[in-house]
């Protein structure tokens, strides 16, 4: 094979030999342009002079260019995936519940995408033992608001989605095929059915956030399950367990305080945290909580605290609230808001309703 001599015609080959591939910077677009402008003539050189050695170098360079482009594409895809993951994590961290909706309706195509994402959520056994009731009727929304502890924003939300445990659909399908439906479910199954509905609801909330919509999970849908079931014409073995109010935000909202993983996560076994550490984390979490005491609050909180923990404990709690001039979250939610059962179902009512709906499998061992 004759030696390769430098000349005007083979100067690009000489440059390639002087600058091996590993020495060429591939990180910037300018480098890429330099590579193409310098070596592209090699692709046509064999046509001009069909020399075996020249052809070998030219085709080697073609392979190099193809490999280089493949690597660049893979790097770009990896970078893109990484950015998507980071954006999703930031979205999860910055999401906040929306209770102030605008009058702007939700586009039907957007809503359909949210529902498609929701039903793709994982479920126990893949059975998807839940159904979603979409409520947009103004009168029904107002009724739902009253049944859910009179939360007015529910009536103003463009869409309310009621997630229900649904064994009725499975039974119909099984019986139509003369196969055995899940009629002997136990407590474990009952809890998993509720979790499946909740997971689907949370999945929808995150999809809504990605679409730029606001959402809030409503657990109070269970406070008047029987009336909700009547309102939505639910058959037996269908039980409302959670609701999502959905719409466009009027304002951005603020992210509520959260405990850090150092408080929430335990290694291998449950670990008792130092009480000073817990108190510090609690104060940090509720640093923006600003409910002031008044006679109505203090009277109700005092009654509930005395009923459950005795007079001395109630007196100490009242002293703490007045001294701090601050109704703490525990006292507000557990001493005032949730114990108010006026017009709501009692625990006995719930048990009776479960029996009426033929949802008594939780009693089985």
């Amino acid at each position: 094979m004759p030696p390769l001599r430098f000349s005007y015609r083979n100067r690009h080959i000489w440059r390639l030999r002087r600058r091996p591939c590993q020495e060429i910077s591939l990180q910037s677009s300018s480098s890429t342009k330099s590579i193409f402008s310098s070596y592209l003539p090699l692709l046509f050189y064999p046509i001009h002079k069909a020399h075996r050695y020249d052809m070998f170098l030219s085709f080697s360079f073609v392979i190099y260019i193809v490999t280089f482009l493949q690597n660049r594409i893979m790097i770009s895809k990896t970078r893109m995936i990484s950015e998507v993951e980071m954006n999703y994590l930031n979205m999860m961290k910055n999401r906040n519940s929306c209770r102030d909706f605008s009058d702007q309706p939700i586009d039907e195509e957007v809503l359909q995408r949210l529902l498609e994402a929701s039903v793709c959520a994982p479920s126990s056994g893949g059975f998807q033992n839940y159904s979603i009731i979409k409520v947009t009727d103004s009168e029904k929304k107002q009724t739902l608001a009253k049944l859910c502890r009179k939360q007015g924003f529910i009536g103003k939300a463009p869409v309310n989605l009621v997630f229900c445990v649904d064994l009725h659909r499975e039974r119909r399908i099984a019986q139509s095929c003369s196969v055995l439906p899940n009629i002997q479910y136990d407590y474990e199954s009952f809890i998993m059915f509720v979790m499946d509905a909740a997971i689907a609801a949370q999945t929808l909330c995150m999809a809504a956030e990605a679409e730029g919509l606001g959402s809030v999970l409503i657990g109070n849908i269970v406070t008047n399950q029987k009336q909700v079931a009547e309102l939505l014409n639910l058959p037996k073995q269908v039980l409302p367990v959670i609701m999502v109010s959905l719409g466009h935000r009027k304002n951005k909202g603020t992210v509520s305080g959260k405990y850090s993983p150092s408080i929430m996560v335990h290694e291998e076994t449950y670990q008792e945290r130092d009480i000073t550490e817990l108190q510090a984390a609690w104060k940090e979490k509720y640093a923006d909580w600003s409910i002031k005491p008044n006679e109505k609050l203090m009277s109700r909180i005092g009654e509930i605290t005395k009923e459950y923990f005795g007079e001395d404990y109630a007196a100490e709690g009242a002293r703490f609230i007045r001294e701090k001039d601050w109704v703490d979250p525990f006292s507000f939610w557990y001493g005032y808001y949730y114990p108010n059962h006026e017009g709501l179902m009692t625990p006995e009512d719930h048990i009776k309703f479960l029996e009426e709906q033929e949802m008594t499998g939780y009693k089985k061992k």
Side-chain angles (χ1 to χ4, degrees), residues 185-328:
Y185 69 92
D186 53 13
Y187 174 79
E188 177 186 9
S189 299
F190 180 76
I191 294 297
M192 287 194 295
F193 298 155
V194 175
M195 289 192 296
D196 290 345
I199 292 169
Q202 173 63 11
T203 300
L204 185 135
C205 286
M206 296 312 302
E209 197 73 16
E211 291 281 0
L213 296 175
S215 63
V216 58
L217 291 163
I218 309 295
N220 295 143
I221 195 73
V222 302
T223 56
N224 277 308
Q225 283 180 315
K226 183 174 182 177
Q227 290 173 273
V228 171
E230 292 172 353
L231 177 69
L232 304 179
N233 194 30
L234 302 183
K236 292 185 183 301
Q237 293 204 314
V238 178
L239 187 72
V241 292
I242 196 166
M243 182 171 72
V244 175
S245 293
L246 191 65
H248 291 274
R249 295 176 179 270
K250 270 190 177 180
N251 51 67
K252 187 177 180 181
T254 57
V255 180
S256 59
K258 300 289 190 296
Y259 287 131
S260 69
S262 64
I263 296 295
M264 302 291 291
V265 181
H266 302 256
E267 294 290 342
E268 305 299 343
T269 59
Y270 190 92
Q271 300 159 6
E272 287 287 4
R273 311 294 189 201
D274 184 82
I275 190 60
T276 56
E277 181 185 3
L278 293 178
Q279 287 178 344
W282 180 61
K283 290 178 181 178
E284 181 180 357
K285 177 181 178 180
Y286 293 107
D288 296 328
W289 182 270
S290 58
I291 294 182
K292 299 293 183 180
N294 58 49
E295 289 305 317
K296 182 180 179 181
L297 281 172
M298 294 300 294
S299 175
R300 181 60 176 165
I301 292 170
E303 290 175 7
I304 296 298
T305 308
K306 182 179 178 180
E307 178 183 349
Y308 283 91
F309 297 100
E311 190 170 343
D312 292 342
Y313 193 95
E316 185 64 21
R319 185 195 63 77
F320 174 85
I321 292 173
R322 295 189 187 281
E323 183 179 284
K324 301 293 183 182
D325 192 30
W326 180 66
V327 179
D328 64 277

Side-chain angles (χ1 to χ4, degrees), residues 49 101 127 151 167 216 275:
K49 184 177 181 180
F101 299 101
F127 287 114
Q151 298 185 80
L167 302 182
V216 58
I275 190 60

Side-chain angles (χ1 to χ4, degrees), residues 70-82:
Q70 287 178 335
N71 290 337
R72 290 290 293 183
I73 292 171
M74 290 178 65
I75 291 171
S76 298
K77 285 184 176 180
T78 302
R79 186 179 294 114
M80 187 182 300
I81 292 171
S82 178

Side-chain angles (χ1 to χ4, degrees), residues 63-74:
I63 294 173
Y64 164 74
I65 287 294
V66 171
T67 304
F68 163 71
L69 292 176
Q70 287 178 335
N71 290 337
R72 290 290 293 183
I73 292 171
M74 290 178 65

